[in-house]
Amino acid sequence: MRKFNGGKLGLFILMKGVRMVTLLVAICFISFLLVKNSPIDPIQAYIGADMLKVGPEQREKIAEYWGLDQPVMVQFLNWGSAVLAGDLGTSMIFRRPVIEVIGERFFNSLALMLSAWLLSGVVGFVMGVIAAMKKGTWIDRMIKWYCFTLASTPTFWMGLLVLMVFSVWLGWFPIGMGVPAGVLSEDVTLMDRIQHLILPVLTLSILGVANVALHTRQKLIVVMASDYVLFARARGEKGFALFWRHGLRNVALPAITLQFAAFSELFGGAVLAEQVFSYPGLGQATIEAGLRGDVPLLLGLVIFSTIFVFVGNLLADLSYRVLDPRTREVRKI
Amino acid sequence: MSILEVENLSVSFKQYTDGFKEINHKVISSLSVTLEAGEILAVVGASGSGKSLLAHAILGILPRNASISGTIKYKGVELTAARLATLRGKELALVPQSVNFLDPLMRVGSQVRTASNSEDVVSAQRKVFERYHLGKEVESMYPFQLSGGMARRTLLSTAMVSGAKVIIADEPTPGLDPIVIKEALSNFREFADKGCAVMLITHDIESALQITDKIAVFYAGTTVEIASVKDFVGKGEAIRHPYTKALWRALPQNEFISIPGSQPHPSSLPPGCLFAPRCEIATPECEQAPPDMRELRDGMVRCIHAT
Ligand code: SF4
């Protein structure tokens, strides 16, 4: 009965895969060149304040150790072949394998982003639905005003505001970091982690709802004015049942797609929010790696975030194909 | 007693231009028709004459910015908003014009089931599908998978499964091939013969003449003539209104000449007879005031010079 377009879907994923690989190569190359040409001296950044104590010979040794004395292209190729072999290199600032640093940071970021993603998706959707169903009333105007105001608010500013209100004034939450300061890592409880997670999630969600809410509102207004809703009313359907039967599925589909596609924005927002809250996630690592010229880590992060955003977009596309019967089922007449 | 009576119905839309100026567009004005049990009444008019709004007005599903006056009675009792809410989809059903009126993301079978008022909705839906030669596989299809004929039969099924006494079919045959049209029309005839009533809103006077009993001619938001199908013969001598005559003459098997000009827009209706700007026999008198509907030779006409 339900025939899945197996072949077509496979081809679609294959094409996407090819596109991702080419994109990755290009992005890595550009980032590599950018970092190499940036005014930051990786050795200086690595050694930091001890620079004065390091003589030119030692400098050269370090450069040789990191392979920094070779031409840029050679460095890139060396790095590239290592990556292909599964070795992302060693982070200069953490002095640990890049893959380990990213793995650990990724878990933190994932907790943050996933919670923010779910929260903003659900809350935004509900807000959009309420606004559309009560179109033109004060509640609709409030929701719209909220969304338009927030759409133009920078994340870091909102982060600072949240921090000031909830941590400094009200003292409800810790001021930052991923875990309490001065506690051994074995002693950190899940509760501690959640406590540190709440404010960054709140910051991201407060901003994240605007997009989904406005989109859902617009879409639901169109759906409620559609011929099929008119016909449903002619058949005696009304109120919540009408929305549940015909409104919900017709707006949920684009909302889900939109929310997946917002992965990139979420990632960008997380970078800033993590910085404000000193939350040890990928974003914070990216900024540190950039500022201190940690090329292996930075490139590892670039690869990782590209894949992350790409997967988000892929899921958006796939969700549409799988959930929408118009693309899911072959035409049969 | 008539099953459905529409008396003096007017529908207008509020529209804001330049943000502040409120304009009332009168899309239907003093329209009256009656529908008898066992009868098919065709409401015939050109596209864009507001015919669909008549269907929506009767069912009470006009948009919020529409205001409505006049009375609509069902079985002799006025159809108030509250009464409509209980009858809509049960006694009164709509057959819409195209597949776009089905929820694109819901299986056709479930949509027909939600229209059913019986205890066992599944068997009710299967029965009606069987009656209209819709295979069992159609049940689990989505609207986009339906062919034109299947879509029309599905739309008809939603009305039939509800057990309604009055069906208002809004342009149910556009873009269908002649065989399908014929089948559609005979479905309506069959329904009416069971003692129910059908209001067939259409622009297609030719197919309307094949199955209906009575024709109401719709022009610029109102009825200009109500005539028996029997009046449409020969050169149309028995037809009362100049517009109806023009429609009759425009048919291919007759003279095939259409009248010049177009219907007036709701925002600029002529002060007198709405047809005056295009009427061959108009006199200055016609532009004074809108003529009233009057009885003439067993029919009704809205023309002061009709004989
Ligand atoms: S009232 Fe006058 S203008 Fe109108 S249809 Fe009759 S003759 Fe023509």
Side-chain angles (χ1 to χ4, degrees):
Chain A
M1 214 171 63
R2 272 191 222 189
K3 249 189 245 160
F4 279 85
N5 252 347
K8 250 188 178 165
L9 196 67
L11 188 74
F12 171 76
I13 293 177
L14 187 78
M15 287 305 292
K16 285 275 173 187
V18 170
R19 204 186 297 170
M20 185 175 84
V21 171
T22 43
L23 183 73
L24 269 180
V25 172
I27 285 186
C28 287
F29 187 64
I30 293 170
S31 322
F32 200 87
L33 284 185
L34 280 177
V35 179
K36 283 292 162 195
N37 288 314
S38 75
I40 298 165
D41 176 4
I43 298 171
Q44 190 174 352
Y46 169 60
I47 298 164
D50 292 338
M51 199 62 194
L52 288 175
K53 296 184 200 152
V54 180
E57 273 163 50
Q58 269 178 299
R59 261 193 81 108
E60 253 165 56
K61 276 239 172 70
I62 295 172
E64 205 187 304
Y65 177 75
W66 293 116
L68 295 173
D69 52 344
Q70 286 166 335
V72 175
M73 269 323 280
V74 177
Q75 286 185 40
F76 180 68
L77 288 178
N78 284 345
W79 174 82
S81 50
V83 167
L84 284 183
D87 178 16
L88 283 170
T90 308
S91 159
M92 291 172 169
I93 42 180
F94 293 98
R95 292 175 213 191
R96 279 163 58 201
V98 167
I99 197 84
E100 235 181 82
V101 177
I102 293 181
E104 178 191 305
R105 294 290 178 124
F106 177 63
F107 181 75
N108 289 340
S109 279
L110 197 68
L112 168 63
M113 285 193 278
L114 221 54
S115 326
W117 188 77
L118 279 175
L119 190 67
S120 64
V122 172
V123 173
F125 185 74
V126 172
M127 277 167 68
V129 168
I130 292 174
M133 297 303 272
K134 304 267 171 205
K135 189 184 149 206
T137 62
W138 61 271
I139 190 157
D140 173 37
R141 275 198 288 277
M142 271 210 356
I143 290 174
K144 264 198 308 191
W145 174 84
Y146 175 86
C147 291
F148 283 131
T149 315
L150 287 181
S152 50
T153 310
T155 314
F156 72 90
W157 190 82
M158 180 55 71
L160 287 175
L161 207 69
V162 165
L163 204 58
M164 258 156 59
V165 173
F166 291 99
S167 296
V168 181
W169 290 349
L170 296 173
W172 290 354
F173 295 101
I175 292 196
M177 321 283 279
V179 291
V183 176
L184 288 177
S185 59
E186 306 85 272
D187 298 340
V188 176
T189 61
L190 186 68
M191 216 34 229
D192 285 332
R193 288 187 187 276
I194 290 176
Q195 274 225 322
H196 283 84
L197 197 61
I198 290 176
L199 286 190
V201 167
L202 192 67
T203 305
L204 284 180
S205 303
I206 287 177
L207 298 173
V209 295
N211 211 351
V212 198
L214 285 176
H215 186 88
T216 304
R217 174 184 180 275
Q218 195 52 39
K219 183 75 193 169
L220 188 55
I221 287 173
V222 172
V223 167
M224 292 315 276
S226 71
D227 287 343
Y228 55 88
V229 167
L230 184 79
F231 185 40
R233 289 206 290 135
R235 292 193 306 250
E237 294 181 32
K238 55 177 183 274
F240 188 72
L242 175 68
F243 161 73
W244 190 253
R245 223 177 255 161
H246 304 288
L248 185 65
R249 50 179 111 199
N250 279 289
V251 283
L253 201 59
I256 290 171
T257 305
L258 184 83
Q259 193 63 359
F260 273 117
F263 259 30
S264 56
E265 268 166 63
L266 189 67
F267 199 87
V271 171
L272 295 168
E274 284 175 9
Q275 196 59 19
V276 172
F277 291 96
S278 318
Y279 185 84
L282 285 177
Q284 203 207 19
T286 311
I287 291 179
E288 258 175 67
L291 289 179
R292 296 174 60 183
D294 188 343
V295 183
L297 182 58
L298 193 60
L299 291 179
L301 286 164
V302 164
I303 294 180
F304 202 83
S305 43
T306 308
I307 295 177
F308 184 78
V309 170
F310 203 90
V311 166
N313 289 336
L314 187 69
L315 286 178
D317 278 345
L318 283 180
S319 70
Y320 216 89
R321 274 160 191 268
V322 173
L323 295 176
D324 191 333
R326 283 162 294 191
T327 48
R328 182 181 66 211
E329 290 188 26
V330 260
R331 204 181 167 90
K332 40 186 174 179
I333 289 176
Chain B
M1 180 181 52
S2 310
I3 194 161
L4 190 74
E5 291 161 82
V6 178
E7 271 163 50
N8 240 330
L9 177 76
S10 294
V11 175
S12 50
F13 281 90
K14 247 190 235 146
Q15 227 175 33
Y16 294 91
T17 47
D18 311 329
F20 301 106
K21 245 171 82 191
E22 194 185 300
I23 297 186
N24 257 328
H25 282 302
K26 214 167 195 185
V27 286
I28 292 181
S29 42
S30 38
L31 179 147
S32 305
V33 280
T34 53
L35 192 56
E36 310 293 333
E39 180 186 74
I40 303 183
L41 164 79
V43 176
V44 176
S47 318
S49 53
K51 290 177 307 213
S52 295
L53 294 169
L54 171 61
H56 299 172
I58 293 172
L59 287 161
I61 51 169
L62 286 169
R64 267 185 219 156
N65 61 336
S67 51
I68 177 168
S69 67
T71 52
I72 301 174
K73 285 185 191 158
Y74 175 69
K75 289 187 174 163
V77 185
E78 191 174 342
L79 267 183
T80 55
R83 185 151 178 256
L84 248 179
T86 63
L87 295 179
R88 203 185 290 143
K90 293 196 181 70
E91 305 265 305
L92 301 165
L94 176 72
V95 177
Q97 32 182 311
S98 78
V99 70
N100 292 344
F101 286 79
L102 291 174
D103 187 331
L105 298 184
M106 196 170 172
R107 290 177 196 277
V108 167
S110 347
Q111 301 202 48
V112 174
R113 280 172 214 163
T114 61
S116 167
N117 297 306
S118 80
E119 298 274 293
D120 185 357
V121 289
V122 178
S123 66
Q125 172 258 317
R126 299 218 164 124
K127 231 190 257 162
V128 77
F129 268 26
E130 206 173 303
R131 181 157 150 226
Y132 291 122
H133 313 293
L134 288 163
K136 204 147 184 290
E137 70 285 353
V138 179
E139 222 176 278
S140 53
M141 284 186 183
Y142 287 95
F144 80 98
Q145 294 166 312
L146 302 176
S147 69
M150 281 155 79
R152 200 208 53 73
R153 279 177 279 167
T154 305
L155 292 171
L156 188 62
S157 301
T158 59
M160 294 304 176
V161 85
S162 69
K165 298 283 173 293
V166 173
I167 286 189
I168 299 168
D170 183 12
E171 206 80 73
T173 55
L176 294 178
D177 62 79
I179 300 166
V180 184
I181 291 181
K182 212 162 175 185
E183 177 203 272
L185 296 177
S186 65
N187 290 152
F188 286 126
R189 185 73 261 174
E190 190 186 308
F191 178 73
D193 290 344
K194 284 193 309 187
C196 301
V198 180
M199 181 185 280
L200 186 68
I201 298 177
T202 179
H203 71 277
D204 182 0
I205 188 167
E206 221 183 324
S207 20
L209 285 171
Q210 290 171 24
I211 57 146
T212 52
D213 308 294
K214 216 162 66 178
I215 297 220
V217 180
F218 196 81
Y219 184 80
T222 192
T223 38
V224 292
E225 174 165 2
I226 293 170
S228 159
V229 171
K230 294 182 215 95
D231 296 341
F232 292 79
V233 283
K235 284 199 175 314
E237 293 88 351
I239 303 173
R240 298 158 191 81
H241 197 276
Y243 178 62
T244 322
K245 284 193 173 147
L247 278 183
W248 176 244
R249 262 188 270 133
L251 289 180
Q253 67 270 33
N254 298 333
E255 292 162 53
F256 208 9
I257 32 170
S258 49
I259 44 164
S262 57
Q263 294 198 24
H265 190 264
S267 60
S268 54
L269 292 179
C273 171
L274 298 176
F275 189 58
R278 300 168 77 188
C279 183
E280 280 176 357
I281 55 166
T283 58
E285 226 185 321
C286 302
E287 279 152 42
Q288 296 305 315
D292 284 324
M293 208 63 172
R294 63 186 170 98
E295 279 188 45
L296 183 70
R297 290 186 280 113
D298 265 348
M300 305 278 282
V301 69
R302 195 188 290 277
C303 169
I304 47 175
H305 298 303
T307 48

